[in-house]
């Protein structure tokens, strides 16, 4: 059913584009509006040296997913709030389960590509359907590329985020949401009690946006471990080269380099990281990087030369 | 379930061996099960219909729709959320106070649940593969739908062919399995497969990861069916050695009873011989008094009666006697019954007291006037079961309610096509003792009308009624105030319930024996609701507190002290319950037969094994996801 509607849409667009082109000066370099897809690479580091990265799709207390279905390519990250460790709860369970639930929903098509906030909300309600009692909290940021519409839709809750880089400039970004310094908006399943002392934000607090993308745009989705250690200029400089490369290996390499760079700087005690700068802004005298779990997904928006699932 | 930690290790080895086997097959041949030439394998595209599911209505965890789509778990084995699970298993719901009396006849129909899956293409079925990832052995029937078949095009006939059936559910080793029994060859292409399940002999919930249809685009040759490679492990020897002893002895008892009755009958009939003269119009049966003939016929099931009625006029008169149809169960024949058959039953239906029309509608259209005619011809219908009748919508509901004013039991579970229940506001039934609205879309106003008009209500099932959630507490208050004779209440997955409403139940319904408040997140133990429940409802026999994360030791101690008749207790997923409290329940509640402590943070497998040893009459369940780390 959906494919019939889609086919109808493609035909309608083709006709509209055709009529439009009749009345316009056709540039010889004009390419037809093909659907776009993500070519992505992911890399990251866990802040604790002992925890080896055996679990799929996690780096320490961060979790992510990369998935696709017939209509869209979707990527997401979730940063587990480490404070739960002092209550005897493993902070990585919540983000991991959340991302797995979101991934399954995307893969099986139980979501609307134009509304990634719904994926976050549905993933969060799935946390309550686990038989194993799951406690904890995390941020969440999901970006969905609707291939036909050539548009990315995003939803962000907390201090993870994404950037879109085009021609050496940041053309779109997410906004960081926090209650106060180092306390981001977070989805929480608290220990059941009548008092509400836990920071718990509803999925409707997520900030949504949409943005039209082009071939060559580079999107980077990361947790605060990266943004707190690398300034935006440094990020743009690392990724500008990807405009001309579209193979997966190169993109994976870029993600690895960026995560590495952030990791090195996070351990540097003298470097004035963005985290240190914002701390100083509010009167806390800090310097150095911020050791944290780092997760970085780099995705290049590319023309789809052959449609495949 | 394991009796000692050694048993657990043995089970873990069996599971790991099986998982490894499938991984190796996949590595070698690219797929867990090999495919011959010319055959196509399709995964389920969509689950179009099902009788029940463990998960919530809008969730993706433990729901029926997980049967379609890609495999998420196989070949791992364990209790994972990505599986497809039905609501019940084992004998527990049948043994509970709220169970219904079974219908007489058709012992070969053992299906309790069903799932229908559609595929993206029409194929001639060669094999149906069902991927079982927890407690295999629940499938008892596989059917294929021939939507294009049947010559009755004006009556919209739909034919279902049984590809495979087995009355006794199989007993299989606890390990991941691809269940692919030898199926009958059919000469039509299908894109809709239905599997029927019976989990009553299983240890815990049976969980399925997926279903795949292997078939050909053109009619296959017979050799294909003979040369199918075996897939799963040979479980026949396991089944031979492990028949459940108690069930076997019950069957023997029944058999002895029948043998005694037959020998009595033989004595009464004496030496009557079967004589046949050329033009005699008398036959053997004319010598018998009508009452005796009726007694004989009362042992026959519906299909036998219908066949016997075709033999001669005398037998037809006797077989059509309305008194034989006091208990009319049409559920086993769902795949053959359409409106046409219901019309033919009208003449025999005068004395029907219990009518089971569950699962009907799949084999042909049933017009609402036909249903009305059938129900109106019944003088005093008491029990009407319409479970999972997708064709029942608001119009049909009106016909039903207007024709059956004397109903004492109504089962509308799974009738998801009814959008408008306002008929209950105006023409409510007034003599209801039992009402089942599982998974229906009833909303608050008609529900409250029903409660107000039926003060004698004893058993109410309003689990998974999504539209009742916003006013759940008000409805509970109504139940408490109107239905004080309540003995069974099932409000599983009614998420907004809190102590505000629940207090009305325990303060008013002191006769309560059967209570299911599983998966209700807002019932907090800190309000004292469970302690009060125990103090006020001392007759409780079944309490399901599944996934109530606030449960504490004091609640269990209260149950131990005040509810001596307790038989079934489920505290899955509790965080702060200790062994001591559970031990207290085990010791004080001597009639306990079922205890589920799965995923309780404070309870280990070691505890469970100890208790199974010390209290052998209690079936202690402890589920797991990864057996090596449980």
């Amino acid at each position: 059913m959906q494919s019939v509607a889609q086919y109808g849409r493609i035909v309608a667009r083709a006709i509209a584009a055709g009529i439009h082109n009749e009345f316009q000066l056709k540039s010889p370099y004009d390419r037809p509006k093909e659907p776009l897809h993500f070519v992505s690479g992911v890399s990251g580091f866990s802040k604790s040296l002992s925890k080896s990265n055996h679990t799929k799709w996690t780096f320490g207390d961060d979790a992510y997913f990369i998935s696709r279905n017939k209509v869209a390519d979707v990527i997401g990250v979730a940063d587990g709030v480490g404070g739960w460790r002092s209550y005897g709860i493993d902070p990585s369970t919540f983000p991991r389960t959340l991302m797995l639930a979101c991934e399954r929903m995307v893969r099986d098509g139980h979501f609307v590509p134009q509304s990634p906030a719904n994926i976050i909300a549905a993933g969060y309600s799935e946390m309550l359907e686990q038989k194993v009692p799951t406690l904890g909290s995390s941020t969440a940021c999901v970006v969905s590329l609707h291939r036909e519409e050539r548009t990315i839709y995003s939803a962000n809750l907390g201090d993870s985020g994404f950037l879109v880089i085009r021609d050496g400039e940041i053309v779109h970004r997410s906004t960081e949401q926090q209650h106060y310094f180092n306390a981001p908006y977070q989805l929480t399943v608290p220990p059941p009690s009548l008092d509400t002392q836990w920071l718990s934000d509803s999925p409707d607090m997520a900030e949504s946006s949409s943005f039209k993308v082009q071939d060559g745009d580079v999107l980077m989705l990361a947790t605060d471990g990266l943004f707190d250690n690398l300034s935006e200029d440094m990020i743009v400089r690392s990724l500008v080269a990807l405009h001309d490369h579209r193979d997966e290996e190169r993109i994976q390499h870029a993600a690895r380099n960026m995560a590495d760079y952030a990791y090195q700087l996070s351990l540097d005690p003298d470097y004035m990281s963005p985290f240190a700068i914002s701390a100083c802004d509010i009167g806390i005298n800090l310097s150095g990087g911020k050791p944290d779990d780092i997760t970085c997904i780099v995705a290049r928006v590319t023309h789809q030369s052959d449609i495949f699932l | 379930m394991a009796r000692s930690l050694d048993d657990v290790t043995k089970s873990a080895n069996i599971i790991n061996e099986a998982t490894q086997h499938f991984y190796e097959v996949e590595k070698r041949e690219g797929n867990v099960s090999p495919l011959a030439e010319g055959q196509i394998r399709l995964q389920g595209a969509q689950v179009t219909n099902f009788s029940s599911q463990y998960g919530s209505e809008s969730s993706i965890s433990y729901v029926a729709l997980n049967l379609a789509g890609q495999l998420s778990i196989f070949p791992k084995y364990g209790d994972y959320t990505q599986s497809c699970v039905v609501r019940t298993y084992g004998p527990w719901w049948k043994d509970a106070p709220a169970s219904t009396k079974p219908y007489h006849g058709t012992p070969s129909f053992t299906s309790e649940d069903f799932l229908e899956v559609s595929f993206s293409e029409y194929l001639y079925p060669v094999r149906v593969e069902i991927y079982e990832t927890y407690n295999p052995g629940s499938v008892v029937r596989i059917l294929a739908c021939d939507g294009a078949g049947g010559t009755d095009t004006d009556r919209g006939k739909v034919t279902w062919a049984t590809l495979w059936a087995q009355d006794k559910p199989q007993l299989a080793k606890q390990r991941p399995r691809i269940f692919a029994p030898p199926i009958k060859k059919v000469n039509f292409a299908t894109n809709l497969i239905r599997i029927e399940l019976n989990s009553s002999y299983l240890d815990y919930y049976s969980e399925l990861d997926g279903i795949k249809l292997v078939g050909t685009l053109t009619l296959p040759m017979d050799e294909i069916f003979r040369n199918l490679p075996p897939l799963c492990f040979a479980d026949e020897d396991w089944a031979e050695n492990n028949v459940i002893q108690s069930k076997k002895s019950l069957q023997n008892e029944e058999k002895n009873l029948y043998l005694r009755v037959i020998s009595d009958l033989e004595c009464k009939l004496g030496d009557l011989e079967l004589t046949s003269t050329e033009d005699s119009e008398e036959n053997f049966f004319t010598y018998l008094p009508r009452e005796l003939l009726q007694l004989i016929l009362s042992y026959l099931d519906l299909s036998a009666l219908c066949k016997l009625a075709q033999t001669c006029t005398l037998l037809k008169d006797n077989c059509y006697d309305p008194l034989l149809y006091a208990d009319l169960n049409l559920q086993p024949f769902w795949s053959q019954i359409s409106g046409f058959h219901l019309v033919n039953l009208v003449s025999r239906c005068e004395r029907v007291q219990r009518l089971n029309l569950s699962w009907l509608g799949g084999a042909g259209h049933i017009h609402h006037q036909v249903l009305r005619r059938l129900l109106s011809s019944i003088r005093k219908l008491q029990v009407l079961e319409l479970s999972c009748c997708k064709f029942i919508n608001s119009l049909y509901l009106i016909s039903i309610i207007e024709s059956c004013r004397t109903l004492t039991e109504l089962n509308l579970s799974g009738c998801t096509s009814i959008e408008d229940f306002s008929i209950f506001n105006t023409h409510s039934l007034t003599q209801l003792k039992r009402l089942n609205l599982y998974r229906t879309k009833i909303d608050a106003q008609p529900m409250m009308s029903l409660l107000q008009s039926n003060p004698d209500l004893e058993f109410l099932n309003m689990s998974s009624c999504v539209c009742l959630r916003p006013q759940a507490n008000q409805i509970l208050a109504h139940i408490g105030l109107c239905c004080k004779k309540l003995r069974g209440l099932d409000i599983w997955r009614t998420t907004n319930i809190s102590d505000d409403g629940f207090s009305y139940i325990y303060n008013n319904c002191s006769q309560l024996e059967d209570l299911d408040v599983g998966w209700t997140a807002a019932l907090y133990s800190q309000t004292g609701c469970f302690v009060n429940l125990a103090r006020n409802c001392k007759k409780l026999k079944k309490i399901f507190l599944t996934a109530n994360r606030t449960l504490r030791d004091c609640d269990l101690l209260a149950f131990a002290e005040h509810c001596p008749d307790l038989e079934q207790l489920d505290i899955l997923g509790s965080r702060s319950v200790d062994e001591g409290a559970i031990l207290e329940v085990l010791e004080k509640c001597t009639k306990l037969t079922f205890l589920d402590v799965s995923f309780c943070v404070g309870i280990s497998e070691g505890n469970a094994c100890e208790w199974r040893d010390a209290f052998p009459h209690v079936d202690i369940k402890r589920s797991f996801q990864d057996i090596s780390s449980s």
Side-chain angles (χ1 to χ4, degrees), chain A residues 89 100-102 104-105 107-108 110 126-135 191-194, chain B residues 54 56 59-62 65-66 70 72 79 81-82 493 519 524 526 549-550 573 575 599 601:
Chain A
I89 294 165
L100 277 175
C102 293
R104 195 151 69 89
M105 272 186 277
R107 191 189 67 183
D108 293 338
H110 301 305
E126 289 304 316
M127 299 300 298
L128 303 167
E129 301 291 336
Q130 308 286 317
K131 282 185 182 173
V132 180
T134 319
L135 299 181
S193 61
L194 292 172
Chain B
Y54 187 82
S56 278
S59 166
I60 54 167
S61 304
Y62 298 116
L65 59 86
N66 286 338
Q70 292 177 32
S72 311
D79 192 342
T81 57
Q82 298 96 317
R493 288 197 186 270
W519 296 95
Y524 290 115
Q526 288 88 333
R549 318 292 182 181
T550 63
R575 286 195 60 88
F599 303 110
V601 172

Side-chain angles (χ1 to χ4, degrees), chain B residues 555-568:
Chain B
D555 303 314
L556 289 189
L557 295 174
F559 289 130
E561 195 185 322
H562 299 287
C563 305
D565 293 332
L566 196 59
E567 291 172 11
Q568 297 184 18

Side-chain angles (χ1 to χ4, degrees), chain B residues 102-164:
Chain B
Y103 284 82
H104 138 88
T106 340
S108 61
F109 180 78
T110 49
S111 313
E112 293 175 345
D113 279 290
F114 71 86
L115 292 150
E116 286 179 11
V117 188
S118 68
F119 295 85
S120 52
E121 286 173 44
Y122 285 82
L123 292 178
Y124 289 88
V126 165
R127 195 166 70 213
V128 175
E129 298 174 352
I130 299 163
Y131 291 74
E132 298 171 292
T133 53
Y134 200 50
N135 292 298
S138 55
V139 181
V140 287
R141 261 214 312 176
I142 303 177
L143 300 106
C145 177
D146 182 8
T151 49
D152 272 321
T153 40
D154 3 0
R155 288 178 190 153
K157 209 166 178 306
V158 169
T159 359
W160 287 87
T162 306
L163 299 179
W164 176 84

Side-chain angles (χ1 to χ4, degrees), chain A residues 192-258:
Chain A
S193 61
L194 292 172
D195 47 341
T196 46
Q197 46 169 300
W198 317 100
L199 274 178
S200 178
D201 298 293
S202 146
D204 342 306
M205 307 288 285
E207 184 216 9
S208 303
S209 75
S210 68
F211 183 73
K212 274 215 160 331
V213 289
Q214 302 168 359
D215 175 65
D217 286 352
V218 177
L219 180 119
M220 192 197 72
L221 177 61
T223 55
D224 67 340
L226 192 108
F227 291 113
D228 282 343
N229 287 305
L230 294 180
S231 70
E232 287 187 355
D233 289 331
M234 295 156 118
I235 296 173
V236 171
R237 259 181 280 139
S238 314
L239 294 180
V240 72
L242 282 183
H243 184 269
D244 303 315
H245 301 290
R246 56 183 64 212
D247 53 307
E248 197 172 326
E249 218 184 291
R250 204 66 83 106
I251 294 167
Q252 177 62 38
H253 200 64
R256 178 75 201 198
N257 281 349
M258 183 114 76

Side-chain angles (χ1 to χ4, degrees), chain A residues 12-35:
Chain A
R13 280 218 200 100
I15 295 172
I19 296 170
H20 183 76
N21 284 337
E22 287 295 307
F23 295 95
Q24 276 225 325
L25 217 61
K26 238 204 205 147
S27 152
Y29 302 110
D30 246 357
R31 290 191 67 169
K33 300 277 184 204
E34 282 174 46

